[in-house]
Amino acid sequence: MPSQALSSRTLARFLAPAALLVSASALAHPGALGHTHGGSFLAGLLHPLTGLDHLLAMVAIGLWSVRQSSTLRRVMPLLIALGMVAGAALAWAGVPLVGVEFGIASSVLLAGILVACLVRLPTLAGGTLVFAFILLHGHAHGSELAPGASALTYAAGFLIASVTITLGGRLLGGWLERHDSRWLRGLGAAIAGAGGAMLMS
């Protein structure tokens, strides 16, 4: 390993304060889902990119998937898509989920911890956990669709964005793993710190 490579603790100390500063103002779902988005493809595409909670969760899942079984890595995009669609469908059907905001913030915290601790889970357990995380995010996305807007085009946009972000996280995680896993652990710690700040906000 390079002699000057930062330790995970140093990296976390560097990144966590920045994440904590922006988390309160960049949440995708302040309050009780008090805003809506248009039903265009572009609105769906941009929505996961404009909220720190969604962005960090997707990136963390991608980072975490690097060390998981080949089966879980292969089905991850499908799990993301199914979880998003299932959650959004529940929202559009008027089925409430208790504690969605708490669950979303918790998913950021827990996903960051999984990355920071380099946790490897059995395929079924890991897949179930990812699906549960994404279900909550999908419900939040679906709840913010403007009345009368096109659910199909909006869903296509946020599905493509979510899967792309996750795969981008995997590529980043693979690069970090090959160079120095301490960077990967440090980034996970920073994401967990941001999730903790979201829970307290």
Side-chain angles (χ1 to χ4, degrees):
M1 293 182 183
S3 60
Q4 296 184 359
L6 293 177
S7 68
S8 59
R9 183 175 299 177
T10 301
L11 184 62
R13 286 176 179 168
F14 175 75
L15 294 176
L20 293 175
L21 285 173
V22 300
S23 62
S25 61
L27 287 173
H29 316 290
L33 302 176
H35 64 288
T36 58
H37 296 272
S40 70
F41 175 79
L42 183 60
L45 192 67
L46 293 178
H47 183 46
L49 299 171
T50 57
L52 189 65
D53 50 0
H54 286 309
L55 184 61
L56 289 181
M58 299 299 110
V59 170
I61 289 172
L63 293 171
W64 174 74
S65 71
V66 168
R67 297 178 60 86
Q68 305 312 301
S69 69
S70 59
T71 300
L72 184 54
R73 288 196 303 273
R74 282 196 303 271
V75 302
M76 190 69 72
L78 180 61
L79 287 174
I80 299 292
L82 289 176
M84 283 287 182
V85 169
L90 289 174
W92 294 333
V95 179
L97 293 180
V98 178
V100 171
E101 290 305 309
F102 179 82
I104 287 174
S106 297
S107 74
V108 177
L109 172 63
L110 293 175
I113 291 172
L114 290 174
V115 175
C117 298
L118 303 180
V119 175
R120 182 181 172 92
L121 293 177
T123 299
L124 181 59
T128 301
L129 186 63
V130 168
F131 181 83
F133 283 171
I134 300 304
L135 182 75
L136 296 172
H137 289 265
H139 192 279
H141 283 309
S143 298
E144 294 171 348
L145 179 67
S150 170
L152 183 61
T153 55
Y154 178 69
F158 73 65
L159 281 176
I160 290 173
S162 298
V163 171
T164 301
I165 293 168
T166 306
L167 293 178
R170 181 187 297 178
L171 289 174
L172 175 61
W175 185 86
L176 293 173
E177 177 79 2
R178 289 192 299 274
H179 287 76
D180 190 340
S181 63
R182 291 177 294 180
W183 283 87
L184 181 61
R185 293 169 66 97
L187 187 54
I191 292 173
M198 293 173 190
L199 284 173
M200 294 185 292
S201 64

